Amino acid sequence: MLAMASELVNYQRVVIDQDTCISCGACVAACPYQALELDENGKSRLIWEMCKDDFSCVAVCPVKAIHKTSEAPSDFKSKKGWYRFGKSLTDAEKAAFEEWRSKFGVSAEPV
Ligand code: SF4
């Protein structure tokens, strides 16, 4: 479990600006890890622990709504709604999540 947690720390993931998203679904189709979905409003949303930094989503988005977390504007990182957990996290995974938030300055809470 510790190995899994450290693996989780190593991924930077992506930040989605749902206000820019036009609900085309290209990112959902492109992700090889099924780490993206369209939410109840048809906007792209990240399933946090599924992302493994493939970044195909960044490349295919026609309106540039998705950014690598290290490159995302800070106001995107404070908006609500763009990521959730796909499962209950273990304590080690929660620690990895908090490290990720701190490292990249993500102030938004998961949905
Ligand atoms: S590719 Fe971009 S516009 Fe299309 S659903 Fe994903 S985030 Fe939204």
Side-chain angles (χ1 to χ4, degrees), residues 16-109:
I16 302 160
D17 179 25
Q18 293 188 320
D19 293 331
T20 302
C21 174
I22 57 171
S23 307
C24 72
C27 56
V28 177
C31 181
Y33 301 112
Q34 290 79 50
L36 293 165
E37 64 184 0
L38 296 185
D39 71 8
E40 55 278 8
N41 299 311
K43 302 292 187 172
S44 179
R45 182 163 62 197
L46 174 72
I47 304 170
W48 184 82
E49 79 282 359
M50 304 278 280
C51 182
K52 296 183 177 176
D53 287 8
D54 174 76
F55 299 132
S56 294
C57 56
V58 176
V60 299
C61 180
V63 292
K64 304 203 180 314
I66 309 180
H67 299 261
K68 294 180 181 180
T69 304
S70 64
E71 300 172 358
S74 57
D75 59 324
F76 292 179
K77 293 187 270 191
S78 64
K79 290 185 181 182
K80 293 178 181 168
W82 58 268
Y83 77 99
R84 70 174 177 93
F85 300 135
K87 67 180 188 70
S88 296
L89 301 186
T90 64
D91 287 347
E93 288 167 342
K94 287 176 187 170
F97 168 67
E98 292 300 338
E99 186 173 334
W100 170 80
R101 280 185 80 184
S102 175
K103 180 176 181 179
F104 294 105
V106 176
S107 55
E109 299 285 341

